[in-house]
Amino acid sequence: MKTARSSALRLWGRLAESAHLRRRERQTVLEGVHLLQGYQARGGIPLHWFVRASVVADPEVGALQRHSLWPEATVIADDLFDEYSSLQSPGGVSALISWPAAPASLPREESCLVLDGLQDPGNVGTLLRSAAAAGMSTVVCATGTVQVWSPKVLRAGMGAHFQLTLHEGADLRDWLPGYSGTILGAERGASRAYDDFDLRGTVALVIGNEGAGLTRAVRDLLHERIGVPMSAGVESLNAGVAGSILLFERQRQLRVRDAG
């Protein structure tokens, strides 16, 4: 393993802080053994990766290093690694990676999850994890949604990014009118509950901003509003939870259909 190189370290710090730089360079930061394992399992090869000196002998770190196509890791003193890491309890490994190539076009005839202006990295990461777990392989993120390749969303997604086709910066007003499936928007107070819908066909499940909900333009393009019934006195559900309920209801219906 190599000793630290200042240029790569500076890039780590700049990518961690700047959404503009990440977007311009199409590069980002992964932190933690689990994320790097998921990235490696999907065939990812980092530009650079760093190891905290005190975990060099860790078996999981050694397994990452034994990948024949990965570059040699750069070892960093614990205090220097902690200075650059954005984690309160640094996991001991970090990598700089390139974003996957952007998909050529938005989906027209396949089911997808649509994020309409969500801003909380935790919610977006949760929804990506749920989409991957529930078999919804395509996610469309509208303009105004938090950057899905930001380190915070990557950590919350726990490797789901590498199992999904992700579209960013979509103009939903331009795309949704040409979508061939049923467009369902999650909204508080919707008259029909999620389990009253047939989700087995081609559907776009649209989740709105945590505070403002769906944008007016998108609301006008919905085929149906879909709700999650709640006990009296409960104002709303977390966007990540509400979206996950819809995703797993779709998966449940598909399982029942296939079993029958």
Side-chain angles (χ1 to χ4, degrees):
M1 293 188 180
K2 299 176 290 187
T3 56
R5 292 180 295 174
S6 58
S7 61
L9 279 174
R10 286 197 300 271
L11 181 58
W12 174 6
R14 292 170 62 207
L15 287 172
E17 294 177 357
S18 173
H20 173 75
L21 180 65
R22 291 193 296 268
R23 186 175 296 108
R24 189 187 75 193
E25 301 297 328
R26 295 192 63 80
Q27 296 176 11
T28 191
V29 179
L30 302 182
E31 289 197 70
V33 169
H34 179 85
L35 265 183
L36 269 66
Q37 287 172 334
Y39 178 67
Q40 189 177 86
R42 294 287 168 171
I45 300 174
L47 304 169
H48 308 280
W49 69 293
F50 311 96
V51 176
R52 199 169 184 260
S54 61
V55 303
V56 167
D58 185 281
E60 290 186 311
V61 174
L64 289 171
Q65 179 62 59
R66 285 192 292 274
H67 192 286
S68 61
L69 297 180
W70 273 39
E72 188 177 0
T74 297
V75 178
I76 303 177
D78 286 13
D79 58 348
L80 186 59
F81 188 100
D82 296 351
E83 178 182 333
Y84 280 90
S85 175
S86 59
L87 301 179
Q88 289 187 344
S89 300
V93 290
S94 179
L96 310 184
I97 69 166
S98 294
W99 295 5
S105 60
L106 290 165
R108 297 288 179 180
E109 300 179 348
E110 63 185 278
S111 292
C112 55
L113 173 67
V114 183
L115 307 184
D116 183 20
L118 272 75
Q119 286 296 299
D120 183 83
N123 277 332
V124 173
T126 294
L127 286 166
L128 296 185
R129 290 179 70 182
S130 293
M136 183 73 89
S137 61
T138 299
V139 180
V140 176
C141 300
T143 301
T145 300
V146 68
Q147 191 180 78
V148 294
W149 291 100
S150 73
K152 289 182 178 180
V153 177
L154 280 158
R155 290 197 299 272
M158 296 293 286
H161 289 68
F162 313 127
Q163 303 175 52
L164 300 168
T165 299
L166 299 172
H167 301 261
E168 284 198 278
D171 183 339
L172 301 188
R173 294 170 300 179
D174 178 65
W175 165 61
L176 283 175
Y179 182 72
S180 66
T182 303
I183 305 167
L184 301 173
E187 283 208 309
R188 182 179 59 189
S191 59
R192 291 182 64 190
Y194 69 95
D195 54 357
D196 189 36
F197 287 85
D198 185 349
L199 304 177
R200 296 171 296 176
T202 301
V203 294
L205 299 177
V206 190
I207 309 299
N209 175 272
E210 291 85 355
L214 298 169
T215 58
R216 181 182 298 276
V218 169
R219 189 178 292 113
D220 291 340
L221 296 171
L222 298 176
H223 294 132
E224 294 273 4
R225 296 165 65 231
I226 184 169
V228 178
M230 294 180 291
S231 298
V234 178
E235 181 179 350
S236 65
L237 280 177
N238 173 285
V241 172
S244 297
I245 289 172
L246 305 188
L247 288 164
F248 282 101
E249 171 62 15
R250 173 179 175 271
Q251 184 197 54
R252 184 195 67 79
Q253 292 183 17
L254 290 171
R255 286 201 319 269
V256 170
R257 180 192 67 182
D258 293 343

